[in-house]
């Protein structure tokens, strides 16, 4: 494996999940694998779990870590081919990617959707440009349309907590005060299609994700009906795909309450965090014994560490 851009880069999900769970038992067992190797973490957007877990994963493998925030530290980058750079952007990605490749052995990038132009966001110009021009492996720490590290984390977490071979997993939209990208939801849907689960998506009309991602996954527009007998409830807001980037409703009735969780099969509550308490989910749900959001966040380290391990072994 040279890059980890999407979950399509996972050759065998059951094997990866098993390896990650074993890695948790002895996280320092490959401490020498990354000695004298450096990972560069480039952030075009804020981060807490992704930054710290990926940094911790690299340190567990003995790597050096360099972090740069392009929100205020780096030059604004140009991505267009043949562009006359007489406007705001100071550096072209062609030079930036090649230069960073001389300083690092692995590059990890976080660059959100701008939610202004669907074609532009779904072209994944930031990640794909770095993959094109860098001479080192590139890891996706959340792009405009996907978050494959989070999705791998979620697969690990569900595997650890499932009580039956084929659990019912529900991905539910929830209200949020601002429009959010579809990246986490997209990758979770793609991951669940590769797991043995009874998977259902529930959201208000108008919040359908891209059909090329959801494919044949059933969509239930009645949240309470969808939640019945669920073993896992994964909650996330996303903005509209068709009416791109828009929040068509902030209907508070879609918030996850304990009353709704009572419809489930004693389901585990999941969220990628950060979460708006009492907007997305009530306190008594996220603070309950069935909430596994903290364990889920802990697994971010082992998802990242597994990806790094495979890249280091292959390069």
């Amino acid at each position: 494996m040279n890059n980890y851009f999407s979950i399509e880069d996972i050759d065998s999900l059951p094997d990866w999940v098993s390896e990650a769970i074993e890695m948790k038992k002895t996280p320092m067992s490959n401490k020498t694998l990354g000695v004298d190797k450096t990972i560069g973490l480039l952030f075009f957007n804020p981060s807490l779990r992704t930054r710290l877990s990926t940094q911790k994963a690299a340190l567990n493998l003995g790597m050096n870590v360099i972090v740069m925030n392009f929100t205020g530290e780096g030059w604004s980058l140009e991505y267009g081919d043949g562009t006359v750079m007489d406007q705001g952007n100071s550096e072209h990605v062609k030079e930036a990617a090649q230069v960073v490749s001389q300083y690092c052995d692995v590059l990890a990038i976080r660059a959100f959707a701008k939610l202004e132009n669907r074609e532009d966001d779904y072209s994944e110009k930031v990640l794909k440009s770095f993959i094109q021009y860098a001479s080192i492996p590139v890891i996706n720490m959340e792009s405009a349309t996907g978050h494959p590290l989070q999705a791998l984390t979620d697969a690990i977490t569900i595997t650890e907590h499932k009580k039956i071979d084929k659990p019912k997993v529900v991905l539910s939209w929830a209200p949020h005060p601002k429009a959010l990208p579809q990246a986490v939801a997209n990758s979770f849907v793609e991951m669940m299609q590769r797991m043995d689960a009874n998977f259902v998506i529930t959201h208000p009309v108008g919040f359908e994700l891209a059909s090329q991602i959801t494919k044949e996954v059933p969509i239930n527009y009645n949240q309470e009906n969808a939640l019945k007998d669920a073993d896992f409830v994964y909650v996330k807001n996303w903005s509209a795909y068709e009416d791109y980037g828009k929040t068509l409703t902030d209907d508070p009735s879609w918030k996850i309450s304990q009353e709704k969780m009572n419809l489930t099969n004693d389901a585990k509550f999941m969220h990628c965090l950060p979460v708006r308490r009492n907007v997305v989910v009530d306190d008594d749900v996220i603070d309950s014994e069935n909430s596994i959001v903290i364990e889920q966040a802990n697994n971010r380290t082992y998802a990242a560490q597994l990806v790094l391990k495979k890249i280091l072994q292959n390069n």
Side-chain angles (χ1 to χ4, degrees):
M1 187 179 74
N2 291 317
N3 302 304
Y4 187 65
F5 174 70
S6 76
I7 65 165
E8 295 301 315
D9 294 312
I10 299 174
D11 54 5
S12 172
L13 181 60
D15 290 345
W16 279 46
V17 169
S18 295
E19 188 172 350
I21 292 172
E22 283 301 309
M23 182 182 289
K24 285 182 67 174
K25 299 174 183 178
T26 56
M28 309 301 289
S29 60
N30 292 285
K31 180 73 175 179
T32 61
L33 186 61
V35 169
D36 298 328
K37 300 287 186 180
T38 299
I39 183 172
L41 309 182
L42 304 186
F43 290 91
F44 292 84
N45 297 97
S47 177
L48 189 153
R49 278 150 295 277
T50 299
R51 173 172 173 169
L52 296 182
S53 62
T54 306
Q55 188 165 352
K56 177 67 179 297
L59 293 173
N60 284 351
L61 293 170
M63 300 185 75
N64 301 310
V65 182
I66 298 174
V67 181
M68 186 169 188
N69 293 301
F70 270 79
T71 51
E73 297 174 350
W75 299 111
S76 57
L77 296 183
E78 175 62 50
Y79 299 93
D81 209 13
T83 303
V84 177
M85 292 175 56
D86 58 356
Q87 298 299 315
N89 293 332
S90 304
E91 182 165 13
H92 203 285
V93 68
K94 289 183 179 182
E95 287 79 57
Q98 293 178 77
V99 167
V100 173
S101 297
Q102 297 176 113
Y103 305 152
C104 304
D105 301 282
V106 181
L107 188 59
I109 301 171
R110 184 175 179 91
F112 292 173
K114 292 184 178 180
L115 296 180
E116 296 170 355
N117 182 295
R118 187 175 74 189
E119 183 178 351
D120 191 45
D121 283 342
Y122 273 72
S123 71
E124 291 286 13
K125 66 179 181 182
V126 177
L127 267 291
K128 287 186 176 178
S129 292
F130 272 95
I131 289 172
Q132 179 180 355
Y133 297 116
S135 57
I136 57 176
V138 174
I139 296 172
N140 182 348
M141 294 193 297
E142 187 173 355
S143 65
T145 67
H147 198 344
L149 283 177
Q150 181 65 54
L152 179 55
T153 297
D154 300 333
I156 295 165
T157 306
I158 289 172
T159 301
E160 288 181 314
H161 285 273
K162 69 179 183 179
K163 297 178 181 178
I164 58 176
D165 289 338
K166 190 173 183 177
K168 180 178 179 180
V169 181
V170 178
L171 171 64
S172 176
W173 181 93
H176 197 280
K178 58 185 283 191
L180 296 182
Q182 295 130 21
V184 170
N186 284 345
S187 288
F188 185 72
V189 170
E190 291 175 324
M191 185 64 78
M192 291 310 304
Q193 290 170 339
R194 300 181 67 171
M195 295 187 70
D196 190 15
N198 177 12
F199 181 50
V200 178
I201 304 171
T202 183
H203 57 70
V205 173
F207 284 93
E208 292 79 8
L209 296 164
S211 59
Q212 65 266 28
I213 289 174
T214 57
K215 298 177 182 176
E216 302 302 318
V217 174
I219 298 171
N220 191 330
Y221 297 109
N222 184 315
Q223 186 189 42
E224 292 189 358
N225 183 269
L227 291 173
K228 289 179 181 177
D229 301 320
D231 299 293
F232 294 89
V233 176
Y234 195 109
V235 182
K236 185 71 180 79
N237 174 271
W238 61 85
S239 57
Y241 176 79
E242 287 299 333
D243 196 358
Y244 191 66
K246 300 296 190 298
T247 296
L248 308 176
T249 179
D250 57 358
D251 185 353
S253 70
W254 279 78
K255 177 180 64 172
I256 297 295
S257 64
Q258 187 56 54
E259 185 178 26
K260 291 180 182 177
M261 293 298 290
N262 289 341
L263 299 171
T264 72
N265 184 28
D266 197 31
K268 300 297 185 183
F269 174 81
M270 299 178 69
H271 191 284
C272 61
L273 302 182
V275 65
R276 302 272 186 141
R277 283 173 172 258
N278 303 306
V279 175
V280 171
V281 57
D282 283 338
D283 282 339
D284 56 353
V285 174
I286 194 169
D287 291 332
S288 72
E289 291 183 357
N290 278 23
S291 173
I292 55 175
V293 297
I294 303 302
E295 295 171 66
Q296 190 180 351
N298 184 48
N299 280 338
R300 290 297 307 276
T301 295
Y302 306 105
Q305 188 168 336
L306 178 63
V307 169
L308 272 173
K309 177 174 178 278
K310 289 183 176 295
I311 286 175
L312 288 172
Q313 290 174 330
N314 196 50
N315 289 274

